[in-house]
Amino acid sequence: MTSASAPAVWRFADHDVVRTGDGRAWYRGLRHSRQWAVPGGDTPAGIDDEAVRGLLATDPRAVFAPARPDAYKPLPGRRLDTLDALRLLDIRPATGAVLYRCALDRFGALLGSTTGSPLPPVPGLRPADVRASLQGTARRYRAARITLDRVHGRVHVRYAIAHTLHTHTYVFTTT
């Protein structure tokens, strides 16, 4: 995929991370809310969201990782309780999404993890794909928690299978 056609993250949240091709990691909200900074960096001034979008668009090796919700805290956003709410979900003006997943099992919890191990992201989802996936998850796992965090442009899903807690974060994108 060329950098010109790469989807742009619609909205960022504090604790998101961007790793550039040269190995630098930018963290949002590290020093100031809504500002990006490098830990231990020699520059006291951070950069804003538009500059990070520029980094992601121009650096083909740059990688975005959203903030992962803590397993011991409620998911951020407004809860989507019914299949009707999921069917009527409107994520405009976003044109797509990227799915970020993590799984917290007994071993990870024993080692002190509160977010789980990340799995490879699934890019290129259309709004209809997101809606269908959420509806399928709600049907299969009745105890699943699904929340819409419109402020940060994401949907969070959490459910358990056996001894593993699965958390999915759909980050909305624009082209």
Side-chain angles (χ1 to χ4, degrees), residues 110-170:
L110 180 68
L111 292 177
S113 175
T114 61
T115 58
S117 304
L119 301 167
V122 179
L125 299 175
R126 299 169 301 149
D129 298 334
V130 173
R131 191 174 299 107
S133 177
L134 293 173
Q135 288 173 332
T137 300
R139 282 189 193 103
R140 281 190 307 277
Y141 309 106
R142 297 285 181 196
R145 298 287 184 248
I146 301 173
T147 62
L148 170 64
D149 185 3
R150 188 169 289 283
V151 171
H152 298 116
R154 15 197 117 186
V155 170
H156 300 281
V157 179
R158 180 175 289 151
Y159 60 92
I161 300 176
H163 300 291
T164 304
L165 183 67
H166 298 268
T167 305
H168 297 184
T169 301
Y170 294 86

Side-chain angles (χ1 to χ4, degrees), residues 67-100:
R68 296 188 313 213
D70 190 299
Y72 301 104
K73 295 181 182 173
L75 290 172
R78 179 179 57 88
R79 209 160 152 204
L80 301 172
D81 288 334
T82 64
L83 287 174
D84 236 13
L86 295 172
R87 186 178 55 78
L88 298 173
L89 177 65
D90 182 18
I91 65 171
R92 282 180 287 179
T95 57
V98 177
L99 169 60
Y100 293 89

